[in-house]
Amino acid sequence: MARPRRQTYSLETYLHNIKDGDISNNADTQRKPAWKAIINGLIVTILTDDYIAPIILAQEDSSQLDIVDGGSRTAAFMMFRYGNYKISSSVENSVIPYKKKMEDESGNIYRADENFNIKGKTYEQLPKELKKKFDEYQIETVIHEHCDKSKIATYIKRYNEHSSMNTNQKAFTYIDKFANRIRKIMDNRFFLECSVYSDNDNEKGAVERVIVETVMCINHFDAWSRQAKTLFQYVNDFGTDGEFDKLEETICRLGNIVTEDIKEIFNKKDSFIFITLFDRFTKLGIGDVRFAAFLRAFQSDLRQTGRNKNGFLFDEIKQNKSTKSRQVIIDKLELLENLMHDFIERSS
């Protein structure tokens, strides 16, 4: 196997390649970039011409380049250069020395020592000399050639072993077959506006796990596991495009009916249960707005009053078991389905 090649870009050229899609920061199995914690330090590093480790790329035979290590750094560069990001007040070493180009009365050009405090500043507010320094900063890359989706996933796992990938992020590297479908579903209005996932949830792979859990719960519950890696591997091996087509349709329908007063139901812990419940509701041939009405009744009343055959409320069902326990999921869905059918009968 040929050794990877090295290539150096100016930061301006590198980011133009990102914008044009020639370099992708969205490799199917790559985790969501976590740029917020590192952006201040990175910008100081660039403006003081200090060292940034190489970004690792994988090149497909189509010449497409995918980032396999360095996605968070790249997202930080993009947010500062094009995202109107303001350097926060907590930045260290915020006063940046530079040479300011000046002209004397005789028209002679000279350069004077100046300092610029970048706290609260965007790229556009930098002096032109610091803008130029940012754009001309040299970014090193290391490029692995002749990569397919499977090899890209392998490289992502390898290079991120040192960077504390969490359980969900590691699991996502085992679903290369459907990773692109999952990314597409994540961009649906439901996940962007009709649920309560925090920025941290999005960065840490919680939404990807919700989608995989939903596919498992609806289609492969007999093979359910509490272990994220096992779930992702199973869906990769036995899931189908048709299952993801149906899930995408279900998610779109939910996005049309979930309103501000009920979206808290769709959190990282219980979303897959309520999406599964809606999937069962759709088989009743009743208008989707009735499901939203049930969710309102559940949120305002039934959550505090509706009990299962063992006398437990929905939020009491866990007891001493894991929320991902197969029996807990069975019991929660059984209670919800009974409450739902009773509500529909009463409101008919």
Side-chain angles (χ1 to χ4, degrees):
M1 180 182 295
R3 290 174 60 85
R5 75 176 194 272
R6 293 182 176 272
Q7 183 164 338
T8 301
Y9 299 89
S10 70
L11 188 50
E12 182 178 37
T13 298
Y14 177 76
L15 296 183
H16 275 304
N17 285 338
I18 295 289
K19 289 182 71 177
D20 291 342
D22 297 324
I23 300 175
S24 171
N25 197 13
N26 195 28
D28 288 350
T29 55
Q30 180 65 286
R31 57 178 165 176
K32 283 283 187 180
W35 55 269
K36 291 185 178 180
I38 62 174
I39 185 168
N40 288 343
L42 280 175
I43 302 310
V44 171
T45 299
I46 291 169
L47 296 180
T48 56
D49 204 28
D50 211 336
Y51 177 73
I52 293 175
I55 289 172
I56 313 299
L57 306 175
Q59 185 173 50
E60 302 177 48
D61 287 337
S62 65
S63 294
Q64 173 68 46
L65 290 165
D66 299 285
I67 298 172
V68 296
D69 186 55
S72 295
R73 282 171 281 161
T74 300
F77 303 152
M78 290 291 290
M79 287 302 299
F80 185 68
R81 182 63 179 83
Y82 298 110
N84 202 36
Y85 175 83
K86 290 183 179 181
I87 298 296
S88 74
S89 60
S90 63
V91 61
E92 297 181 0
N93 305 312
S94 65
V95 178
I96 308 297
Y98 71 100
K99 297 288 188 180
K100 184 175 182 178
K101 188 176 180 181
M102 307 285 284
E103 183 177 338
D104 64 20
E105 294 178 356
S106 302
N108 298 313
I109 301 298
Y110 69 100
R111 286 172 172 77
D113 290 330
E114 293 283 348
N115 292 302
F116 186 79
N117 194 329
I118 63 173
K119 285 184 180 181
K121 299 299 191 294
T122 66
Y123 171 87
E124 293 300 333
Q125 293 173 313
L126 297 180
K128 62 182 179 181
E129 292 84 0
L130 289 182
K131 288 182 181 177
K132 184 177 181 182
K133 195 166 193 177
F134 182 92
D135 290 339
E136 292 181 351
Y137 183 86
Q138 300 293 288
I139 285 290
E140 298 179 53
T141 67
V142 174
I143 303 173
H144 293 276
E145 299 177 317
H146 306 298
C147 294
D148 56 17
K149 301 295 185 185
S150 177
K151 190 172 288 187
I152 290 170
T154 297
Y155 284 133
I156 290 172
K157 286 195 286 282
R158 178 184 301 170
Y159 285 108
N160 284 281
E161 284 177 350
H162 66 281
S163 59
S164 301
M165 291 178 80
N166 67 23
T167 300
N168 295 335
Q169 291 166 336
K170 289 177 182 176
F172 194 62
T173 65
Y174 289 89
I175 197 165
D176 53 282
K177 182 178 177 182
F178 294 109
N180 189 53
R181 294 296 306 272
I182 292 170
R183 293 290 195 206
K184 182 181 176 184
I185 292 171
M186 288 173 64
D187 288 335
N188 189 279
R189 178 179 176 272
F190 170 79
F191 284 111
L192 298 176
E193 301 178 20
C194 305
S195 51
V196 290
Y197 305 110
S198 66
D199 289 341
N200 189 58
D201 292 336
N202 286 317
E203 290 179 356
K204 299 300 184 182
V207 181
E208 290 94 325
R209 180 164 181 166
V210 165
I211 292 170
V212 172
E213 287 175 335
T214 304
V215 171
M216 283 293 296
C217 199
I218 292 174
N219 304 287
H220 307 282
F221 192 62
D222 287 346
W224 179 267
S225 171
R226 287 181 290 176
Q227 304 302 317
K229 177 182 172 182
T230 303
L231 292 180
F232 280 69
Q233 281 185 314
Y234 190 93
V235 171
N236 199 59
D237 292 340
F238 300 105
T240 68
D241 284 322
E243 291 167 1
F244 279 92
D245 291 341
K246 182 64 169 65
L247 177 60
E248 193 166 359
E249 176 192 336
T250 299
I251 292 298
C252 286
R253 288 171 65 172
L254 272 174
N256 290 329
I257 61 170
V258 174
T259 48
E260 194 72 24
D261 57 324
I262 53 176
K263 74 177 189 178
E264 287 187 7
I265 287 172
F266 295 95
N267 52 55
K268 66 180 179 182
K269 182 179 74 172
D270 291 325
S271 280
F272 76 98
I273 290 176
F274 284 96
I275 299 170
T276 299
L277 181 69
F278 181 62
D279 178 77
R280 296 180 182 183
F281 171 87
T282 61
K283 297 175 173 60
L284 301 176
I286 302 172
D288 291 354
V289 293
R290 296 283 291 283
F291 186 76
F294 164 70
L295 291 183
R296 289 188 187 93
F298 175 78
Q299 187 78 330
S300 64
D301 176 40
L302 298 175
R303 190 164 202 153
Q304 294 78 38
T305 61
R307 298 182 181 274
N308 69 1
K309 60 188 177 184
N310 295 317
F312 292 128
L313 299 171
F314 178 83
D315 295 306
E316 296 174 339
I317 288 176
K318 175 188 172 184
Q319 293 296 304
N320 296 321
K321 297 179 182 177
S322 164
T323 57
K324 305 297 184 183
S325 163
R326 191 171 185 275
Q327 190 59 52
V328 167
I329 296 166
I330 290 172
D331 291 346
K332 283 186 172 182
L333 278 169
E334 182 180 281
L335 171 61
L336 288 172
E337 203 160 6
N338 287 337
L339 292 174
M340 182 179 71
H341 284 293
D342 289 345
F343 173 82
I344 291 170
E345 288 182 10
R346 290 198 313 271
S347 59
S348 294

